[in-house]
Amino acid sequence: MARDVGSEGELQVSKCHCETGRKRHRIPRSVHIPFETTQSFNIPNQDHDSEDEAADDDSTVSDGADQDDELNVLEDEHPAPDVEMLDNGPLIVDLLTADGAVPAGVFNNLENDEDFDIDIGDEFPDPGSDGSLEEEGPPRVATWRMNLTALSQAYNLYMVAYADKIYVSRPRSCVSNVLPVEPDLILRPPASSMSLSVVGYLDANFPHQVNHLVVGELGVEEILLLAYDDGDVIGYYTRHIENELRRRERDGRNNKIVPEPFFHENVGKSAWGLAIHKQSRIVAVSSNTHNVCVFVFALTGQPYRHTLEADPVEFFRNIVKDENGNILDPGRDPSQPPIVLNHATTDASKIAALENAIRRRDANWRIILETGRTGTNLPNIAFSSDQYGEAAKVVAVDINGRLWIMDIWHFDQRPHIKIEGLHRSRSRARFQGHPTHFHKPRGWGVLVLPESSFLPMKDKENALGLPLEEVRPAANERIGRWIDISQGIKHVKNNSGVHPWVRSGNTQRFAFNPMEPRRAQLESPWYDFDANAKLHSFHDPFGDSSQAGRDSRSGRPNAGPFEHETVLEDGSSILRTYEMDVELRSFEEGGMGIMFEKVIDQSRPSHAVLPSMRISHERLANLIHVPELSLVVAGSMCGRVALITLTRPEEKGLLFKRAFKVEAILPTKRDEDNQKRPICPLLGVAVGPAPFSGNVELTDKPVSPKRYRIMLHYYDLRILSYEVFRNSRTDPISVV
């Protein structure tokens, strides 16, 4: 393994392993793979910050005889687009998609805010979906979704969602993670009866497609949890999947048995955010109802008896809490207006009895947390815990960038806490004399990170990943106190801030959408920085113990009765992501947060979009926390993944107690220059422990928990694989 030589805290990167979908599935050249593009371009003056570059310089993708099959490209699949010049205006180019050309005129109707806020993000449904699946040819990719791949943390299993199917494969190599030609198992969970009345948003003709999947621990069991566009939420035990694979490996594939899900419910509209809490054994799901459903499973050990009087239809008893913390009478007639239980009357005893009933866990409960009139779609959610490790709240991010902190168990009028995004409002822009709307960056991801996940660092510079003179202060009454570490991108080795098509002089490959409203907004700074402003001291003049000092400088009036609840009970930190920005909030009131903008950005011409897409598709939505490595893997649909190390400076009295730094961005510049990165969206990023090698009996078990593999799966079915590890708790991370 070739290693880059660097100082403490720097990332060392070597060869990545690349396998194209055409090779893996043995797809002949006569069959077109949507989103597949040619990779033949030369990038001059390569500089990869590595003394050992020659050892890893694979200038071609190792597909062997299948390399010649990579001939079906979007640019050749359709005629060259017509170019039209508006009067005194820019070029409008018909955009090419995997299903054909989209007339440029389609963008003329994007002037109104309502037209561009039609769902979970600002994308369009796929007009070419016909509701059927091809049994021959490449697997069908569902576009504009969240993370659709995962690795088991307990078994050597790789799972990827294609439309309504979940392909389960056992990687055949502990080094390259190559997958078999055919999956070892295909899960085809049917749609629920309730989903038949739910129209899918992204594909109305084929609504039962996966939007998002996660793997996590529910008590002592690891589960695979799936969210569907038709509102279905389905859960499998990975132990059952592993047992079936072992049986097939032992007895052959005859008499196949397909594992059944242990959980199958529906949330009323397209489901997106997923969260699993190990200790409390509950799951949460967000949807386009603008609500979060928390599913609380019975734990008494007694068989659950469905009570028709409590819930005449469903397996779960329902309780609804509105945005003000009021609960609605669960025994009300559904056809009548909701009745809010009044704490000032005899309802107080009823509320207390209800709390006790739910906490006894002798029945299945669905707690619905409403966001009310100010709510919108919630793409990502996470659980926070109390000081005993039990689930306490749901932390959600909505597409307007707002954080929601919602109490689960208490029904004594505790309103949800809302925390606005950091980005400043912007004035409207104009195009061809018509007003267009500037949106704040969309919120896409959220994680709750305990203090134990932060890696101790001896000094501030290592904790932040850049020289202190490059840190910029940002503070006002609205956002509080922050430091901006965006200049740290210059110190990320083997990374390029310029798109590969631009570096290679192939900008003609882009399509151009002059009505693209997102890209221009994303290129604007999140804060109006004073060029002369410097952070003269990183130390807190009030010290570490002055609660009064923290309250006085928080920029807030006298705290209300629940003001302290903006700080999570167990002292965890909240990480929020937008399209391209990463924000770490202080875990204490009045503390200092950390902001890193444009983490995965690559410059390209104004209004340039990929021919296979119609608008900008940067979204840091795929977040995976790896506590063993103090690492957050942040994947974007644009095809890039940031490796973020969580840090904690050991120096006392600092304005910030926790921080982070970006240690690498995958694929690296070298991988791009060697044409390993496909220029198409990312289907998913999966992270899991690396398996043993050399011992057949142990190949399905994880090796040292400090060695992990990362697999990047793209729309064109290509997979790039890396290994990530630290030799010790304080060593810099390494990527193999």
Side-chain angles (χ1 to χ4, degrees):
M1 180 188 76
R3 297 177 59 139
D4 294 338
V5 178
S7 62
E8 181 181 0
E10 289 185 327
L11 183 69
Q12 290 128 45
V13 181
S14 72
K15 178 180 178 180
C16 89
H17 297 275
C18 173
E19 183 184 33
T20 66
R22 189 171 294 280
K23 176 183 179 181
R24 179 171 62 258
H25 296 290
R26 298 180 182 174
I27 301 172
R29 61 188 298 178
S30 59
V31 176
H32 172 61
I33 300 179
F35 298 96
E36 186 182 55
T37 62
T38 55
Q39 296 294 98
S40 56
F41 51 84
N42 296 317
I43 300 180
N45 301 322
Q46 297 183 14
D47 180 10
H48 303 133
D49 301 324
S50 174
E51 297 177 1
D52 300 315
E53 178 184 339
D56 294 325
D57 188 10
D58 289 351
S59 58
T60 58
V61 178
S62 56
D63 263 356
D66 292 315
Q67 228 175 323
D68 293 335
D69 290 340
E70 297 188 50
L71 300 176
N72 297 294
V73 299
L74 293 174
E75 291 88 342
D76 298 332
E77 183 72 12
H78 310 287
D82 295 329
V83 177
E84 178 183 357
M85 176 67 77
L86 293 180
D87 294 338
N88 300 318
L91 293 176
I92 297 181
V93 180
D94 288 356
L95 301 190
L96 301 179
T97 71
D99 300 305
V102 178
V106 75
F107 298 103
N108 293 337
N109 296 321
L110 295 183
E111 298 168 2
N112 295 325
D113 185 67
E114 293 80 4
D115 294 331
F116 208 71
D117 193 21
I118 51 181
D119 186 51
I120 191 71
D122 40 348
E123 293 77 35
F124 296 83
D126 183 357
S129 299
D130 59 7
S132 63
L133 280 176
E134 296 291 337
E135 295 301 328
E136 302 294 335
R140 174 172 177 170
V141 169
T143 58
W144 294 109
R145 314 289 164 138
M146 300 271 282
N147 207 19
L148 294 182
T149 65
L151 279 161
S152 168
Q153 308 301 296
Y155 310 105
N156 186 26
L157 299 176
Y158 179 73
M159 292 155 282
V160 53
Y162 291 120
D164 61 337
K165 303 176 183 177
I166 297 88
Y167 283 28
V168 182
S169 302
R170 200 185 295 285
R172 298 307 198 251
S173 168
C174 63
V175 177
S176 61
N177 296 303
V178 295
L179 302 180
V181 176
E182 296 181 357
D184 296 304
L185 174 69
I186 298 179
L187 301 174
R188 298 180 177 90
S192 67
S193 57
M194 184 175 176
S195 72
L196 301 179
S197 62
V198 178
V199 178
Y201 172 75
L202 292 178
D203 193 333
N205 294 322
F206 188 10
H208 194 61
Q209 298 188 70
V210 182
N211 282 343
H212 189 195
L213 66 80
V214 298
V215 166
E217 291 181 291
L218 186 72
V220 297
E221 293 277 5
E222 182 185 66
I223 68 170
L224 167 67
L225 194 61
L226 309 159
Y228 284 76
D229 195 29
D230 61 4
D232 272 2
V233 185
I234 301 175
Y236 289 88
Y237 291 121
T238 58
R239 174 171 54 87
H240 293 173
I241 297 173
E242 170 68 14
N243 289 343
E244 172 57 16
L245 260 62
R246 285 175 176 267
R247 191 197 64 78
R248 295 185 183 191
E249 292 164 353
R250 183 183 66 249
D251 302 335
R253 294 202 172 197
N254 296 329
N255 190 25
K256 296 179 181 179
I257 301 173
V258 178
E260 294 292 328
F262 76 93
F263 174 70
H264 194 159
E265 288 293 322
N266 191 282
V267 293
K269 279 191 177 181
S270 186
W272 290 91
L274 296 170
I276 306 168
H277 198 281
K278 173 181 171 65
Q279 183 168 321
S280 294
R281 303 188 188 191
I282 61 177
V283 300
V285 185
S286 64
S287 70
N288 283 5
T289 61
H290 305 170
N291 302 330
V292 175
C293 291
V294 181
F295 292 92
V296 181
F297 301 104
L299 296 178
T300 60
Q302 300 297 322
Y304 172 65
R305 295 183 178 180
H306 185 203
T307 305
L308 291 176
E309 293 77 11
D311 268 305
V313 179
E314 299 187 77
F315 189 61
F316 283 77
R317 300 178 184 176
N318 291 317
I319 186 70
V320 181
K321 183 192 293 190
D322 68 16
E323 69 273 24
N324 296 314
N326 298 312
I327 63 170
L328 308 182
D329 188 347
R332 74 186 189 280
D333 182 349
S335 63
Q336 299 299 317
I339 302 173
V340 177
L341 299 186
N342 189 341
H343 291 70
T345 67
T346 55
D347 285 338
S349 60
K350 189 174 184 179
I351 293 171
L354 182 62
E355 285 189 11
N356 291 332
I358 295 175
R359 289 178 180 273
R360 282 200 307 269
R361 304 290 291 270
D362 57 2
N364 294 324
W365 290 90
R366 182 203 315 244
I367 303 174
I368 302 172
L369 305 174
E370 296 183 338
T371 58
R373 291 181 298 175
T374 60
T376 183
N377 295 329
L378 303 160
N380 244 317
I381 57 177
F383 282 116
S384 72
S385 301
D386 61 20
Q387 61 269 35
Y388 304 108
E390 297 288 346
K393 296 178 174 65
V394 171
V395 182
V397 64
D398 68 27
I399 59 169
N400 290 335
R402 183 187 296 116
L403 283 174
W404 296 76
I405 302 178
M406 299 179 275
D407 182 90
I408 300 172
W409 309 106
H410 298 96
F411 304 125
D412 51 354
Q413 293 183 312
R414 302 193 184 192
H416 303 330
I417 296 167
K418 293 177 281 188
I419 303 175
E420 298 294 330
L422 293 185
H423 298 77
R424 56 193 175 90
S425 300
R426 306 182 188 280
S427 59
R428 295 180 179 180
R430 300 187 71 83
F431 173 75
Q432 296 294 311
H434 300 286
T436 60
H437 291 260
F438 267 105
H439 292 271
K440 291 183 179 181
R442 300 292 195 193
W444 280 107
V446 65
L447 286 176
V448 174
L449 304 167
E451 182 181 16
S452 60
S453 292
F454 289 78
L455 191 66
M457 290 285 171
K458 293 181 179 179
D459 58 69
K460 300 180 288 293
E461 193 169 79
N462 275 331
L464 297 171
L466 76 168
L468 299 183
E469 58 269 19
E470 296 180 7
V471 174
R472 297 183 295 179
N476 59 40
E477 185 175 352
R478 182 180 68 85
I479 65 172
R481 299 190 303 170
W482 293 79
I483 54 176
D484 179 278
I485 60 170
S486 305
Q487 295 300 311
I489 197 67
K490 299 184 301 184
H491 304 281
V492 178
K493 296 186 65 175
N494 206 353
N495 172 61
S496 175
V498 181
H499 194 279
W501 284 355
V502 177
R503 298 206 310 276
S504 62
N506 284 275
T507 55
Q508 76 280 359
R509 289 192 170 197
F510 289 109
F512 291 83
N513 170 15
M515 292 299 294
E516 160 56 33
R518 303 299 297 156
R519 186 68 194 177
Q521 179 269 321
L522 295 177
E523 292 172 349
S524 301
W526 73 277
Y527 182 82
D528 286 324
F529 290 100
D530 183 348
N532 298 318
K534 298 293 182 182
L535 190 60
H536 299 289
S537 174
F538 284 88
H539 287 81
D540 188 346
F542 292 95
D544 292 334
S545 60
S546 174
Q547 179 63 47
R550 288 198 297 271
D551 291 341
S552 68
R553 64 182 185 276
S554 64
R556 301 172 183 264
N558 293 332
F562 301 111
E563 183 71 20
H564 65 280
E565 294 191 18
T566 56
V567 178
L568 301 180
E569 294 178 41
D570 66 344
S572 292
S573 298
I574 298 175
L575 184 107
R576 170 168 48 181
T577 59
Y578 304 86
E579 279 106 335
M580 298 191 294
D581 307 341
V582 179
E583 159 202 321
L584 180 70
R585 301 193 61 81
S586 173
F587 65 95
E588 56 185 357
E589 282 290 349
M592 179 168 280
I594 312 293
M595 179 63 159
F596 196 136
E597 67 172 343
K598 301 180 178 60
V599 172
I600 46 87
D601 185 34
Q602 286 187 314
S603 61
R604 59 180 189 257
S606 180
H607 305 297
V609 293
L610 295 190
S612 58
M613 312 302 283
R614 302 171 222 175
I615 53 178
S616 295
H617 54 289
E618 289 90 349
R619 50 164 76 167
L620 278 170
N622 303 338
L623 304 183
I624 303 172
H625 177 209
V626 188
E628 290 278 348
L629 299 179
S630 297
L631 184 70
V632 169
V633 178
S636 169
M637 183 184 284
C638 75
R640 310 189 79 207
V641 176
L643 302 187
I644 301 170
T645 292
L646 305 172
T647 62
R648 175 168 51 87
E650 295 180 325
E651 187 175 345
K652 301 298 183 181
L654 293 178
L655 289 169
F656 65 96
K657 308 287 193 306
R658 298 171 194 168
F660 67 88
K661 60 182 177 182
V662 177
E663 291 217 70
I665 294 179
L666 306 177
T668 64
K669 180 181 179 183
R670 181 191 299 122
D671 299 334
E672 292 179 346
D673 294 350
N674 289 343
Q675 304 171 28
K676 293 182 179 181
R677 173 194 170 185
I679 309 301
C680 68
L682 186 71
L683 184 70
V685 56
V687 183
F692 275 112
S693 63
N695 187 332
V696 176
E697 295 182 356
L698 297 178
T699 54
D700 63 332
K701 297 181 180 179
V703 71
S704 166
K706 294 181 181 178
R707 195 178 188 96
Y708 281 75
R709 51 187 167 176
I710 301 178
M711 299 173 69
L712 281 57
H713 198 139
Y714 289 86
Y715 275 23
D716 70 347
L717 310 183
R718 180 179 302 225
I719 296 178
L720 304 184
S721 295
Y722 302 82
E723 273 194 12
V724 188
F725 64 92
R726 297 184 200 275
N727 289 322
S728 69
R729 174 69 175 167
T730 57
D731 274 0
I733 200 168
S734 299
V735 178
V736 181

